[in-house]
Amino acid sequence: MKRKVLSLALMGTALATSAYAQEATLTIESWRNDDLALWQEKIIPAFEAANPGIKVVFSPSAPAEYNAVLNSKLEAGSAGDLITCRPFDASLALYEAGHLTDLSDLEAMGNFSDVAKSAWQTDDASASFCVPMASVIHGFIYNKDAFNELGIEVPTTEAEFFAALDKIKEDGTYIPMAMGTNDQWEAATMGYNNIGPNYWKGEEGRLALIKGEQKLTDPQWVAPYATLAKWGAYLGDGFEAQTYPDSQNLFTLGRAAIYPAGSWEIAGFNTQADFEMGAFKPPVQNAGDTCYISDHTDIGIGLNTASENQEAARTFLSWVASPEFASIFGNAVPGFFPLSNTPVELEDPLAKEIVGWRDECESTIRSTYQILSRGTPNLENETWGASVAAIKGTESPEALGQQLQDGLATWYAPHQ
């Protein structure tokens, strides 16, 4: 009788423990406040339906404040269970400070390529601390109505690209290209790191720069500045004072024909533009050249080491690595492309067009994001200023390359 009572007691304890484990509430920290409705209406209900008892709360901060808010919460011990991860050094610093858990043993990490995982790994790739969620791809979005009116074919080479810009400018109906230099980062992100991979051959050049085998004064790193120097003539009057929202508005209102883009624009443009849009990849220098695209690892999600819901959080992270999540996220946020190895059928035509470049071109990531911006001067921020100077024509491409190289050499050993 005692044995039976003991068995029942143990069974009750096990059931209680199991029930307790399944009654976790997970809080997600994120900077993607634009995605709040998506998480509340689509992603969270799908997960909770498959995992009854585990509740999820999406708790975003303002994008510009995210890093500071998150660090404060982590230091205070009040951060959520799951941490949305920016790529490379910001998240690596969180891991090295003990705030993010090594997820290398998570079986679902096998669903991602080494390139996809590289944005959230230690330099030697021995630890992976965030599950990759999505990348963004750079290129150009264009107004199909404008191209049809002016009889312009989609350009594939740089000569065709500048011929198209000349034709748009000569007609005068549209600003040829919508981009300003006031906020600086666009000039580097949608300018230099958009067209640059075709010059330095994507990963080949990027990794050689990290190793010190190539320098920022080499022709393949200087030439994109010379190309950017030609852009200023096509950006319209007052582009120097034009902000990022100004550029978005000029394009979506139909006043500009071409927009140097990141694919994250798709969802917003879809709601604001009343014309049909198309996209073309960064033009190559010569017909037949291998094309390279910036397919930049942008967003991942990791586990707060201080979370009291480790098991439930790992269950959620495994689901984020699944085809179900990839399909929901990829279609709900067109332009944020899933990184899992399982192909996802996208519904948005512009997103499908852009992600199709992965089958045509070699993929790389932004040249300044891994390792090279850890010191002072910060190469990423310096590239912003250099790209603006190139477009404005205030410095020669060669001088800009020398300035950047000199700055990198002050702190980065492989370049000393």
Side-chain angles (χ1 to χ4, degrees):
M1 181 67 181
K2 285 183 180 179
R3 183 178 296 172
K4 186 174 181 182
V5 170
L6 180 61
S7 296
L8 288 171
L10 289 172
M11 186 181 298
T13 301
L15 288 172
T17 302
S18 174
Y20 179 79
Q22 292 301 309
E23 290 175 4
T25 296
L26 302 174
T27 299
I28 300 174
E29 304 284 355
S30 177
W31 70 88
R32 291 288 304 167
N33 50 11
D34 288 350
D35 295 346
L36 180 60
L38 156 67
W39 280 87
Q40 291 178 337
E41 297 168 11
K42 294 186 178 181
I43 296 176
I44 291 173
F47 172 78
E48 291 180 350
N51 297 274
I54 302 179
K55 302 298 181 185
V56 179
V57 176
F58 186 70
S59 180
S61 306
E65 300 168 7
Y66 177 68
N67 288 10
V69 169
L70 176 62
N71 283 318
S72 295
K73 286 183 176 181
L74 288 167
E75 293 302 326
S78 60
D81 306 272
L82 297 156
I83 309 297
T84 304
C85 303
R86 295 191 190 276
F88 297 106
D89 289 352
S91 294
L92 178 60
L94 294 179
Y95 172 74
E96 291 177 338
H99 295 308
L100 288 173
T101 302
D102 184 359
L103 300 173
S104 301
D105 63 341
L106 194 71
E107 185 178 347
M109 290 297 280
N111 295 345
F112 303 95
S113 70
D114 290 342
V115 173
K117 290 186 286 190
S118 66
W120 300 285
Q121 288 182 323
T122 50
D123 290 350
D124 62 3
S126 62
S128 297
F129 42 82
C130 299
V131 174
M133 288 172 62
S135 70
V136 290
I137 295 177
H138 291 292
F140 297 83
I141 297 175
Y142 69 97
N143 181 330
K144 282 191 173 183
D145 292 347
F147 271 45
N148 290 335
E149 287 171 25
L150 301 177
I152 296 173
E153 297 290 330
V154 172
T156 59
T157 66
E158 285 191 354
E160 293 170 352
F161 177 65
F162 283 105
L165 291 171
D166 283 332
K167 193 166 186 178
I168 299 164
K169 184 176 181 179
E170 182 181 352
D171 173 77
T173 305
Y174 302 93
I175 297 167
M177 194 155 58
M179 193 181 78
T181 56
N182 183 78
D183 296 347
Q184 296 204 334
W185 68 269
E186 307 99 304
T189 304
M190 281 99 91
Y192 188 75
N193 265 304
N194 187 353
I195 65 173
N198 278 330
Y199 290 87
W200 59 71
K201 300 187 185 301
E203 287 294 275
E204 178 184 321
R206 188 184 74 84
L207 295 175
L209 190 65
I210 290 173
K211 294 173 185 174
E213 296 168 355
Q214 292 184 17
K215 296 182 182 299
L216 292 163
T217 48
D218 290 344
Q220 63 271 32
W221 294 93
V222 171
Y225 290 119
T227 300
L228 287 184
K230 301 177 184 178
W231 282 25
Y234 303 103
L235 301 181
D237 294 337
F239 74 85
E240 298 90 344
Q242 188 172 303
T243 66
Y244 175 52
D246 291 337
S247 301
Q248 292 174 307
N249 290 335
L250 283 174
F251 183 72
T252 56
L253 290 172
R255 293 176 55 194
I258 298 173
Y259 184 92
S263 58
W264 63 82
E265 306 282 12
I266 293 174
F269 282 8
N270 281 345
T271 61
Q272 294 161 4
D274 61 1
F275 51 85
E276 187 178 0
M277 293 175 287
F280 59 88
K281 51 189 177 287
V284 294
Q285 294 164 69
N286 302 294
D289 286 354
T290 300
C291 57
Y292 296 85
I293 56 169
S294 177
D295 187 357
H296 190 71
T297 42
D298 187 69
I299 186 170
I301 188 166
L303 172 55
N304 183 354
T305 53
S307 168
E308 297 179 354
N309 301 301
Q310 296 283 319
E311 181 183 350
R314 289 172 71 89
T315 297
F316 181 81
L317 290 172
S318 294
W319 183 76
V320 168
S322 72
E324 181 183 10
F325 173 85
S327 180
I328 294 171
F329 192 80
N331 281 300
V333 192
F336 285 84
F337 301 111
L339 287 164
S340 61
N341 292 329
T342 306
V344 173
E345 184 61 37
L346 299 179
E347 298 164 2
D348 183 88
L350 197 55
K352 287 179 72 170
E353 188 171 4
I354 292 174
V355 80
W357 300 341
R358 284 177 173 171
D359 299 326
E360 303 168 18
C361 306
E362 299 292 328
S363 291
T364 185
I365 59 176
R366 296 174 199 154
S367 62
T368 54
Y369 267 57
Q370 186 178 31
I371 299 175
L372 298 179
S373 293
R374 290 178 183 170
T376 302
N378 179 294
L379 183 58
E380 166 67 6
N381 292 344
E382 293 293 293
T383 302
W384 294 8
S387 301
V388 169
I391 292 170
K392 289 182 176 180
T394 56
E395 293 273 7
S396 72
E398 292 74 19
L400 294 169
Q402 190 66 60
Q403 290 171 18
L404 295 176
Q405 181 60 37
D406 290 347
L408 185 61
T410 62
W411 65 268
Y412 187 53
H415 282 258
Q416 291 172 339

